[in-house]
Amino acid sequence: MNLPVLKAADFASDQDVRWCPGCGDYSILAQMKKVLPELGVPREKTVFISGIGCSSRFPYYMNTYGMHSIHGRAPTFATGLKSTRPDLMVWVITGDGDALSIGGNHFIHCLRRNLDINIVLFNNRIYGLTKGQYSPTSSEGQVTKSTPMGSIDHPLHPLSVALAAEATFVARSIDAHVKHLGETLKRAAEHKGTSLVEVYQNCNVFNDGAMAYAQERKQRAENVVELEHGKPLIFGTNNDKAVRLVGNHLEVVNVADVPADDLLIHDEKEMNPSIQMMLARMRYPEMPEPIGVLRAVQGIATYNDQINDQVTAAKAKKGEGDLQALFNSGDTWEVA
Amino acid sequence: MTASPTTSKDVQTVSGITVRLAGDSGDGMQLLGTQLTNTSALAGNDVATFPDFPAEIRAPRGTRAGVSGFQVRFASEEIFTPGDHLDALVVMNPAAMVTNLGDLRKGGILIANEDGFNEKEFKLAKVESNPLDASVIEEVYRVIKVPMTALTREAVAAHGLSQKIADRCKNFFAMGLVYWLFGRSLEPTLRFIEDKFGKKPDIAAANISALRAGWAFGETTEAFGESYQVEAADLVKGTYRNMMGNQALAWGLVAASKLSDKDMFYGTYPITPASDILHEVTRFKNFGVRTFQAEDEIAAVCATIGAAFGGTMAVTASSGPGIALKAEAMGLGMMLELPMIVINVQRGGPSTGLPTKTEQSDLLQCMFGRNGESPLPILAPRSPGDCFDIAVEAWRLAVECMCPVLILSDGYIANGSEPWKIPDVSKLPKIVIKHPEGGESDAPFMPYARDENLARPWAIPGTQGLMHRLGGLEKEDGTGNVSYDPANHQHMTDTRAAKVSRIAERIPDQDVYGETSGDVLVISWGGTYGSCHTAVRNCRNAGHSVSHAHLRYINPLPKNLGELMRGFNKVIVPELNMGQLRMLLRAKYLVDCIGVNKVQGKPFAVSELFEAIESHVSTAKDGKSKADVRNKAG
Ligand SMILES: Cc1ncc(C[n+]2csc(CCOP(=O)(O)OP(=O)(O)O)c2C)c(N)n1
Ligand code: SF4
């Protein structure tokens, strides 16, 4: 078949994009438009489903099918859609408040079911749309409109939650690191099963610079380690630092100080998520924060395949359902 | 297998029998009741049932809270309720006896499992002494004490079962005795036992022995001089089967999916009394049914909307507390204008309320329980069998209007049963669904363009050229783009309301049992149909000018209803709530209505409705003016 070659612009809808100037959402939108043509999935087979929040306006800006749903529930709409229409490529767009606060329950269950969809979680560690209250990912002590004396909630970490739910694909990227973001989205799309990509997204209006340590090019090298399967976790402006496993914890070492064998080699395919969980728990400023794919395990059945396989199996076993036969089954009697 | 034995004692023919079987929730009374119902239906009787469960799965054994009951009425005439007063009551223990005896009519038969009446059981049931010994009992009722446990043990001794398992067979002994007393065939139950216990032949054999022993006991004991026979009822010609409400809903949904050539997606979260619909539809995977047991009701309804967006027939069901959780998403479903069915099998509320008991108190919740102006069509089945037709009709309306349609059932209908005339599938009208086809045209697609029913096109993902975005934000008419334009919001609100109200043009006029004008009109809805119908029939037989209108369409109401109401001096609205339909009728038609209301977790008795209606007949006659004169404003 001759598929028309699509460009990023083909995925833009005719709607004006209305995020605040400077918002990190723009960059994610741009990368998405760039990546989609590379996937070879026709626009009409692509569906974006979002919850509520600034980021959740995303589907309006894509010239695909889309649904802007209700707060926190996007994964559930995706579940109904993908279960009945496995032929579609379904993306869920959500925010940290949307996915982890009101939608925490659905987030976990979607991941553990391993529905074959892609979740992109825009994490700006704040509620943008409702104008600046702290979110489940806000740091302790963070002063916001709703926490004038500082937040007393212990933050929730999406990657840890996802790994705890035994998600089969867990990754992180950064709005400002466009190349990395594009590649990560692409890998997520190619994964069979639920893929979660947390994207550090700057809300320059209500939480500007909260993740500058990772977003700004100058700081990034020191504070972020880019994961690559089969490679050691080396980082630093001069690639002079690395992470190694000592006993049951990770520590940062100077590459020059330790034998190469000592360094932790990243294994995204390891079924046991223990070390991946350690990576998810590396946090600034004590540790460099990992970006890239923490976990990508294959061969775990997807919810959509299984729900449809059962239908196929039932038809094979009992034959295509026959209403009249059903009605007449069991005990019946005649009134003459 | 040997045929059912025949009795050598006298047989008295009666027109109908109401019997209640009551015991501890572990005694198998529901099974016994279901078997008796099926057997009676197979004998050609009209049947109506009323199972009554305790709220706890295993309330402490022997206590009043743990009593489980099953009432069956079987008759040689058409019946609409399981009966007010019992002709016979079978009790397995003192708690069952004291909680049920009040419903046994004078002279009725009380069969008691004597072995269940001992000091320990009296304590559990909180009775001072053996209630069977009270002399007044013997005077008022025909009391037959049967040592069922001992007789059962004896009957099954040969099968070498443990005593605990042997004792479990005593419900089959009781069944055998009841079957003898009412001339029921053992055949269907023998078949049932073979089916159910086929893999455990010793248990099957023991249950069969117990069943036969119960029958033989009736035949030999001198306590019974005669048995009773109920002739087949004169029902409309056709093939019948026994049908429960939730089962009929499930079958109706599957039928609707076939008639519309759509696979079905059923998303739900378990809740009493709706769960049985899930248990039933999940058997139909070979009909293309996909069931999703969600993490909660919100996920259930949202997944349902997702499936609807994808072009599938989408259904979700719950009971009041779950419907409360679904409210926000139902509003979205309405805003997206996607077809789906939302079923509420009502139970006693508020909050967790009375989970196993019936009530009709979610009407206003379903009418108004969403934010914003959010009218949705509402249908209510009137009986177990009617659930089938309502399910099909709900799907037809949902696709005709492109919006969620609500079905209001209740616990009484859900668990009750009646003979159901099996339809000829080839004669059921098809439900025609057209998805726009799309193509490569450059003309922008209008997802909110409207047809003559004000429905928008159901364009589904995967269709070329029809890409569009839906969402809960207000839409611009036609384009479906987000719009905050004040005039547009008014227009869209009006349009959504008009779309629902126009259904009144396409549904049948309200029918009336009796004259279309007179002294009293009784208006009912939902599961009170049988009691209301029978009470009105009795009033009419007593020479009163009373008519009955039973609503199956609640939103919108049939378009002739206001005029109909104005033709009567009084309008009486019986409901198992504190006056919810009455409030709607008064508000809409400005016609006064008198409520007959109760929320006791129980259906109306025919007699209580009869008295309530009759008490208004004389004053209605005296009434100088008709309802419309009193209410000129209407
Ligand atoms: C049921 C419900 N509760 C509350 C809201 C209000 N609300 C809208 S977005 C939002 C939080 C959004 O934060 P986040 O998910 O982090 O997204 P962001 O706006 O930062 O992209 C809230 C509380 C709502 N729309 N619906
Ligand atoms: S409030 Fe923040 S997240 Fe929302 S659009 Fe503005 S910058 Fe972006």
Side-chain angles (χ1 to χ4, degrees):
Chain A
M1 205 168 77
N2 243 340
L3 283 174
V5 181
L6 293 171
K7 298 180 296 297
D10 295 320
F11 281 91
S13 77
D14 59 355
Q15 302 296 297
D16 295 337
V17 183
R18 294 223 180 117
W19 288 310
C20 307
C23 176
D25 290 355
Y26 284 99
S27 149
I28 309 176
L29 178 65
Q31 284 314 305
M32 186 65 82
K33 286 192 214 151
K34 192 160 164 283
V35 166
L36 288 183
E38 297 171 20
L39 299 175
V41 179
R43 281 180 308 174
E44 65 269 15
K45 289 272 188 186
T46 308
V47 185
F48 282 89
I49 302 185
S50 63
I52 299 289
C54 292
S55 60
S56 288
R57 301 291 172 98
F58 198 96
Y60 292 123
Y61 308 140
M62 299 296 300
N63 189 7
T64 62
Y65 283 90
M67 186 196 288
H68 177 223
S69 72
I70 53 178
H71 198 21
R73 321 296 176 192
T76 66
F77 293 93
T79 303
L81 180 64
K82 184 75 186 183
S83 296
T84 49
R85 293 292 309 276
D87 58 313
L88 302 172
M89 175 171 72
V90 179
W91 292 82
V92 162
I93 302 294
T94 182
D96 44 307
D98 195 56
L100 301 172
S101 194
I102 192 165
N105 192 26
H106 310 308
F107 181 72
I108 296 168
H109 288 283
C110 184
L111 290 166
R112 62 115 174 155
R113 288 190 185 109
N114 200 33
L115 189 78
D116 187 15
I117 61 164
N118 315 305
I119 304 178
V120 186
L121 193 165
F122 293 30
N123 188 359
N124 53 18
R125 300 187 183 167
I126 199 82
Y127 284 8
L129 193 76
T130 47
K131 299 192 177 155
Q133 302 84 2
Y134 77 111
S135 93
T137 55
S138 294
S139 345
E140 246 173 290
Q142 187 167 334
V143 172
T144 72
K145 211 178 263 176
S146 60
T147 52
M149 294 175 71
S151 162
I152 54 172
D153 284 20
H154 304 295
L156 197 62
H157 300 279
L159 301 186
S160 301
V161 174
L163 288 166
E166 315 254 333
T168 56
F169 184 99
V170 179
R172 177 191 280 150
S173 193
I174 299 174
D175 55 3
H177 196 351
V178 291
K179 186 160 164 282
H180 186 268
L181 176 59
E183 279 162 10
T184 311
L185 291 177
K186 195 165 174 204
R187 283 212 50 198
E190 284 158 0
H191 176 74
K192 195 163 155 49
T194 310
S195 58
L196 170 73
V197 182
E198 176 193 26
V199 183
Y200 283 172
Q201 171 244 326
N202 193 35
C203 170
N204 58 313
V205 172
F206 296 109
N207 206 16
D208 195 24
M211 286 159 287
Y213 63 88
Q215 279 155 329
E216 283 184 7
R217 192 187 288 272
K218 275 189 226 138
Q219 300 189 55
R220 192 195 298 152
E222 286 299 312
N223 298 330
V224 163
V225 50
E226 284 190 37
L227 302 176
E228 270 185 89
H229 179 67
K231 302 254 175 77
L233 281 71
I234 293 178
F235 68 105
T237 319
N238 305 314
N239 282 335
D240 52 351
K241 292 180 194 149
V243 175
R244 92 174 157 177
L245 178 66
V246 187
N248 58 3
H249 72 279
L250 299 177
E251 66 176 26
V252 173
V253 293
N254 287 320
V255 176
D257 298 346
V258 292
D261 287 2
D262 259 23
L263 299 183
L264 176 67
I265 305 295
H266 179 49
D267 186 356
E268 65 182 30
K269 297 188 176 142
E270 172 56 56
M271 279 289 176
N272 180 338
S274 308
I275 293 180
Q276 295 152 4
M277 183 65 96
M278 286 182 178
L279 300 179
R281 298 192 72 254
M282 295 205 301
R283 279 171 208 142
Y284 173 83
E286 292 78 22
M287 297 288 282
E289 294 192 347
I291 63 169
V293 179
L294 277 77
R295 177 178 173 84
V297 297
Q298 294 295 346
I300 297 183
T302 65
Y303 189 83
N304 39 290
D305 275 352
Q306 295 196 86
I307 194 172
N308 287 295
D309 287 352
Q310 285 196 349
V311 169
T312 314
K315 285 183 179 173
K317 190 164 164 229
K318 300 190 201 167
E320 186 81 38
D322 176 343
L323 271 188
Q324 197 70 60
L326 170 70
F327 293 171
N328 289 310
S329 63
D331 288 336
T332 62
W333 71 96
E334 293 292 330
V335 173
Chain B
M1 203 178 290
T2 53
S4 277
T6 44
T7 178
S8 55
K9 289 188 179 172
D10 285 348
V11 177
Q12 194 191 330
T13 301
V14 292
S15 64
I17 297 274
T18 299
V19 51
R20 187 183 298 163
L21 313 153
D24 189 74
S25 56
D27 282 343
M29 292 298 106
Q30 303 298 325
L31 174 78
L32 206 172
T34 313
Q35 284 300 307
L36 179 59
T37 307
N38 281 337
T39 307
S40 301
L42 285 172
N45 295 147
D46 197 2
V47 296
T49 64
F50 177 45
D52 194 19
F53 318 100
E56 291 79 22
I57 302 300
R58 277 291 142 87
R61 215 195 53 76
T63 63
R64 296 182 185 206
V67 174
S68 168
F70 195 107
Q71 183 172 326
V72 193
R73 176 158 181 77
F74 43 94
S76 58
E77 58 198 12
E78 206 184 350
I79 51 167
F80 301 93
T81 76
D84 287 6
H85 301 292
L86 310 172
D87 300 308
L89 171 66
V90 180
V91 295
M92 305 303 279
N93 64 15
M97 176 172 161
V98 295
T99 51
N100 287 286
L101 194 64
D103 294 332
L104 185 60
R105 68 166 170 77
K106 282 196 181 123
I109 303 173
L110 174 70
I111 300 176
N113 170 23
E114 223 179 347
D115 295 333
F117 286 70
N118 53 44
E119 285 305 327
K120 194 175 137 215
E121 298 288 329
F122 301 153
K123 263 208 203 86
L124 288 169
K126 295 209 162 52
V127 291
E128 307 265 287
S129 58
N130 191 342
L132 283 173
D133 291 345
S135 57
V136 13
I137 303 261
E138 299 268 2
E139 283 159 26
V140 181
Y141 309 107
R142 276 178 64 196
V143 183
I144 293 153
K145 302 175 199 170
V146 187
M148 291 189 197
T149 314
L151 291 173
T152 304
R153 279 181 198 170
E154 213 171 281
V156 308
H159 304 292
L161 301 170
S162 73
Q163 190 165 93
K164 201 171 142 208
I165 295 190
D167 284 359
R168 271 205 209 130
C169 300
K170 73 173 182 299
N171 60 333
F172 282 97
F173 180 93
M175 210 181 289
L177 177 55
V178 169
Y179 279 21
W180 176 83
L181 188 60
F182 301 120
R184 307 277 78 144
S185 160
L186 298 182
E187 222 56 63
T189 300
L190 290 171
R191 247 185 291 138
F192 165 83
I193 294 174
E194 303 255 293
D195 256 19
K196 182 167 167 105
F197 302 105
K199 291 205 180 95
K200 295 174 187 156
D202 49 338
I203 306 235
N207 281 329
I208 290 173
S209 298
L211 181 73
R212 290 194 184 282
W215 195 94
F217 179 81
E219 181 69 8
T220 48
T221 181
E222 291 183 359
F224 295 110
E226 58 184 4
S227 66
Y228 301 86
Q229 179 71 42
V230 177
E231 303 282 319
D234 191 12
L235 300 176
V236 179
K237 196 166 156 277
T239 308
Y240 284 77
R241 63 179 302 131
N242 196 38
M243 194 58 125
M244 288 173 70
N246 274 346
Q247 182 192 10
L249 268 179
W251 288 27
L253 294 172
V254 179
S257 105
K258 281 278 150 192
L259 293 171
S260 59
D261 224 350
K262 283 276 175 203
D263 277 4
M264 185 194 348
F265 178 87
Y266 186 87
T268 190
Y269 186 76
I271 187 168
T272 304
S275 301
D276 283 335
I277 309 173
L278 168 64
H279 306 159
E280 189 69 11
V281 291
T282 199
R283 293 173 48 218
F284 302 143
K285 293 196 161 88
N286 63 323
F287 284 81
V289 174
R290 285 148 184 84
T291 55
F292 171 55
Q293 183 177 317
E295 55 271 23
D296 61 23
E297 282 84 353
I298 301 177
V301 63
C302 293
T304 300
I305 295 174
F309 182 49
T312 302
M313 172 182 169
V315 187
T316 187
S318 193
S319 190
I323 298 295
L325 288 175
K326 291 179 201 282
E328 184 191 8
M330 283 160 63
L332 177 71
M334 180 209 204
M335 209 58 171
L336 303 185
E337 303 193 36
L338 282 170
M340 72 198 73
I341 297 178
V342 181
I343 299 170
N344 180 355
V345 187
Q346 301 164 95
R347 63 191 210 178
S351 188
T352 304
L354 306 177
T356 60
K357 309 288 175 189
T358 199
E359 205 164 287
Q360 294 184 303
S361 47
D362 298 345
L363 174 56
L364 296 182
Q365 176 195 31
C366 290
M367 273 299 282
F368 303 118
R370 289 169 294 283
N371 60 303
E373 290 287 331
S374 180
L376 288 178
I378 303 177
L379 309 182
R382 64 181 199 183
S383 68
D386 192 36
C387 288
F388 180 89
D389 296 327
I390 286 284
V392 176
E393 177 71 348
W395 181 235
R396 186 178 69 84
L397 287 179
V399 294
E400 241 176 58
C401 300
M402 287 291 287
C403 71
V405 172
L406 278 149
I407 296 178
L408 266 178
S409 179
D410 62 48
Y412 176 72
I413 298 181
N415 295 315
S417 59
E418 65 179 355
W420 179 66
K421 189 166 168 294
I422 297 173
D424 180 348
V425 172
S426 65
K427 298 214 174 95
L428 296 174
K430 292 256 178 282
I431 298 171
V432 181
I433 297 176
K434 282 202 205 94
H435 298 293
E437 276 172 23
E440 288 193 57
S441 145
D442 280 337
F445 172 57
M446 292 287 182
Y448 278 76
R450 294 184 187 279
D451 69 9
E452 68 281 6
N453 293 331
L454 298 177
R456 66 175 200 87
W458 191 6
I460 56 174
T463 323
Q464 217 188 354
L466 303 185
M467 269 89 76
H468 64 284
R469 275 68 54 193
L470 300 176
L473 289 166
E474 183 62 285
K475 311 279 170 316
E476 183 179 70
D477 199 9
T479 66
N481 290 333
V482 173
S483 166
Y484 287 91
D485 174 41
N488 176 71
H489 180 48
Q490 181 74 55
H491 167 72
M492 291 298 269
T493 303
D494 294 344
T495 306
R496 288 184 289 257
K499 167 158 112 160
V500 174
S501 64
R502 279 196 200 175
I503 293 174
E505 306 295 329
R506 310 197 295 279
I507 60 173
D509 270 358
Q510 180 58 48
D511 57 357
V512 194
Y513 168 63
E515 295 72 34
T516 49
S517 63
D519 290 338
V520 171
L521 176 67
V522 174
I523 301 184
S524 61
W525 68 279
T528 58
Y529 167 71
S531 317
C532 291
H533 178 82
T534 313
V536 169
R537 191 189 62 191
N538 296 352
C539 281
R540 296 176 59 81
N541 288 344
H544 302 309
S545 162
V546 179
S547 299
H548 181 207
H550 184 83
L551 308 176
R552 293 167 77 242
Y553 296 86
I554 298 189
N555 196 36
L557 291 160
K559 60 178 188 307
N560 63 327
L561 187 62
E563 193 195 317
L564 188 65
M565 288 167 72
R566 294 191 179 94
F568 290 83
N569 294 331
K570 273 195 179 176
V571 176
I572 298 180
V573 184
E575 291 177 271
L576 297 176
N577 61 45
M578 296 316 292
Q580 301 193 10
L581 177 69
R582 178 165 53 115
M583 181 190 280
L584 296 178
L585 294 176
R586 290 172 69 151
K588 183 164 164 100
Y589 300 110
L590 298 181
V591 169
D592 193 22
C593 301
I594 300 158
V596 179
N597 303 94
K598 83 168 182 184
V599 284
Q600 298 171 4
K602 291 198 295 194
F604 281 119
V606 172
S607 53
E608 70 184 301
L609 284 180
F610 178 85
E611 281 160 28
I613 299 166
E614 201 180 38
S615 74
H616 288 292
V617 173
S618 56
T619 53
K621 259 197 200 27
D622 300 344
K624 329 268 170 305
S625 50
K626 297 235 174 201
D628 59 342
V629 180
R630 279 203 311 273
N631 295 286
K632 259 302 181 218

